Amino acid sequence: MSTTTPSTASANHGTGIPATRPWHRRAPWLLAAAALLSGCSTVNSMFGGSSTPAAPLGTPGYVRGFLGGAVADEPRAALVAREILSAGGTAVDAAVAGAFAMTVTLPSRAGLGGGGACLVYNARLREVITVSFPAGSRSALPPGTDRPAALPLMARGLFLMHTRGGRLRFEQLVRPAENLARFGTEVSGALSEDLAVVAAPLLNDPQARRIFGATGGGPLRGGERLIQLDLGATLAQLRSGGVGELYQGGLSQRLEAASLTAGGGLTAPELREALAQVQEAVRVPAGNDIAFFLPAVGDGAAGTATAFQATQAGTSPFASGGISGASAGLLTMDPEGNAVACAFSMNNLFGTGRVAEGTGVLLAAAPGLGTVPPAPLAVSLATNNTLRGFRAATAGTGQQAAGIAAATMMSTALRRQPFENGFAAIPDPGRGLALSCPSYVPRGNDSCVAAADPRGGGVAIGSFAPVTASGR
């Protein structure tokens, strides 16, 4: 069985919700699920046992030694990412699969109708790039659009990222999410809290009520079964026909018609022309390392680099004014030292609160229209080119404090301070995720530690050393 560092991460973002119960009480199913994951036989096998694969590439159990790990704001998504790593997938593969899973398990913050942005480190090329696919803004709206939907870029963004470091087949990375949607998954603490916040307006939409409403009235609660058959069918079509189906195929036509009915107003030309991008990352020297940040993606991304520079200088960063949208984070790392740091958003909890009928796609809220600002997408990643190694990755959530959260945890990791110090320094409503390898990967695999903010609902899982008072 792999060594895990369970914790909790951001689900409460300035909503006034009290801290959740301890992880071992809040998610007992996670212990059982982790124990049942294929290819998870002994602690020795995870930390340097036999290197002979016990299963074919693409099958859990292929990796017998150090496999890396995942940290996410939703536990099931982290487990999916970890299983892909066990099957021999790269950090990119794990991030793609984990992100698709999160569209099913945490649709309040990540969805096919939304988007995000990721930093991707390729250890062989020793380069960090940005894959940018935020839930897009709209320039014009058709008549009858009373709840403008954002341009949905999640699927195209994840496909583009897969071309920049994936090893397993793309369709294999979609299938876990498809299965979770078709056969159902338990409502996690993170999703349960978000449902409680927006239950009344969300359940006003009949399509959303059919998915997220409980039999006896009100929203689904933690531990109850969430089944999304239409979303499962949509994911199956993306798996078999490719992501282009959502943008210029029969599926896009259904999405256009359903979004018009739902008041979102997406049009076929907009869907066809909406593209993800590869961009340069922002570089900030940090001692012997280089920290990387997203370019200006939303109102909070550029602020992450600024907040990091402030913390490095020993001053307190300030959150940008105003309330911004909710988001979710995901970090992955593989044995070769490849790493990914992602943030996803619907620009509002559950986006527009309306589901495109027949597709299961929850429509994200278009940014810059009305009172909906773009959500901050706050992540960072650090490497050392001289040592050819990955050093750390972080993500921050919590509306206007997201950038501070990601920056604080990166400074904490690079200074080799205990993670609990970093989490305590993040102002509400911020929450952080962190993955740190003080001796770098692939050289110092056994130094890697990871954790999710204990005030939220996420988890860190993989080949991580126990976290001690010294931050290791």
Side-chain angles (χ1 to χ4, degrees):
M1 176 63 193
S2 65
T3 299
T4 62
T5 305
S7 166
T8 50
S10 173
N12 168 18
H13 300 299
T15 58
I17 302 173
T20 55
R21 295 172 303 197
W23 176 86
H24 65 282
R25 296 180 183 175
R26 181 163 42 82
W29 61 267
L30 187 55
L31 289 170
L36 292 173
L37 283 173
S38 301
C40 187
S41 54
T42 66
V43 172
N44 181 61
S45 71
M46 300 300 297
F47 285 92
S50 172
S51 61
T52 302
L57 176 66
T59 304
Y62 174 81
V63 177
R64 295 296 299 274
F66 177 87
L67 57 75
V71 193
D73 276 326
E74 199 285 320
R76 176 62 67 178
L79 284 167
V80 167
R82 181 243 175 259
E83 190 163 48
I84 292 298
L85 292 169
S86 174
T90 65
V92 167
D93 290 322
V96 170
F100 272 119
M102 201 177 286
T103 68
V104 177
T105 61
L106 195 59
S108 50
R109 299 168 184 270
L112 293 182
C118 301
L119 291 169
V120 180
Y121 174 58
N122 185 305
R124 181 178 60 83
L125 299 178
R126 292 200 289 174
E127 71 172 10
V128 176
I129 60 170
T130 296
V131 180
S132 177
F133 49 102
S137 59
R138 308 279 299 282
S139 58
L141 301 174
T145 304
D146 68 331
R147 198 75 66 86
L151 295 178
L153 277 174
M154 177 71 93
R156 270 189 168 159
L158 296 180
F159 182 80
L160 178 59
M161 183 164 67
H162 183 253
T163 68
R164 299 306 177 108
R167 177 184 296 150
L168 303 183
R169 299 186 315 277
F170 184 78
E171 54 266 31
Q172 180 177 350
L173 309 179
V174 180
R175 188 177 288 279
E178 177 190 341
N179 289 340
L180 288 169
R182 284 184 180 276
F183 303 116
T185 183
E186 290 184 5
V187 173
S188 66
L191 178 57
S192 176
E193 289 183 358
D194 285 350
L195 282 167
V197 172
V198 299
L202 177 68
L203 299 185
N204 279 338
D205 177 61
Q207 302 303 320
R209 185 168 60 249
R210 185 167 60 89
I211 298 170
F212 301 111
T215 303
L220 292 172
R221 296 169 179 80
E224 294 184 325
R225 203 76 177 165
L226 171 64
I227 298 175
Q228 302 172 78
L229 295 179
D230 287 341
L231 181 58
T234 294
L235 288 164
Q237 194 162 349
L238 297 182
R239 173 179 55 79
S240 60
V243 299
E245 289 287 322
L246 191 62
Y247 300 94
Q248 53 190 12
L251 180 56
S252 72
Q253 295 172 5
R254 296 203 304 275
L255 179 61
E256 177 189 29
S259 74
L260 287 171
T261 302
L266 294 174
T267 66
E270 287 179 306
L271 291 172
R272 185 170 55 252
E273 295 167 10
L275 299 174
Q277 302 179 60
V278 172
Q279 301 172 311
E280 289 189 12
V282 175
R283 299 163 57 98
V284 177
N288 295 324
D289 301 314
I290 300 175
F292 296 86
F293 302 88
L294 299 174
V297 180
D299 286 343
T304 308
T306 301
F308 174 74
Q309 291 172 312
T311 59
Q312 290 294 92
T315 60
S316 298
F318 294 95
S320 60
I323 299 298
S324 52
S327 57
L330 171 67
L331 311 174
T332 61
M333 177 197 67
D334 65 32
E336 288 77 35
N338 303 299
V340 178
C342 293
F344 312 110
S345 181
M346 301 287 283
N347 288 329
N348 197 19
L349 278 183
F350 293 94
T352 63
R354 295 180 181 176
V355 177
E357 185 176 3
T359 69
V361 175
L362 188 64
L363 301 173
L369 295 176
T371 60
V372 179
L377 302 174
V379 294
S380 63
L381 194 152
T383 69
N384 187 302
N385 278 355
T386 302
L387 298 176
R388 300 178 65 92
F390 162 75
R391 176 62 180 84
T394 68
T397 53
Q399 300 176 6
Q400 69 275 16
I404 293 177
T408 298
M409 294 315 298
M410 180 54 73
S411 289
T412 300
L414 295 185
R415 291 172 177 172
R416 303 181 182 228
Q417 295 178 343
F419 283 153
E420 56 264 32
N421 289 8
F423 292 137
I426 298 172
D428 284 329
R431 302 289 184 263
L433 305 177
L435 196 166
S436 173
C437 300
S439 298
Y440 302 93
V441 173
R443 187 180 68 175
N445 296 352
D446 60 355
S447 72
C448 296
V449 292
D453 201 309
R455 297 169 292 179
V459 68
I461 184 168
S463 302
F464 301 130
V467 177
T468 67
S470 64
R472 292 206 40 207

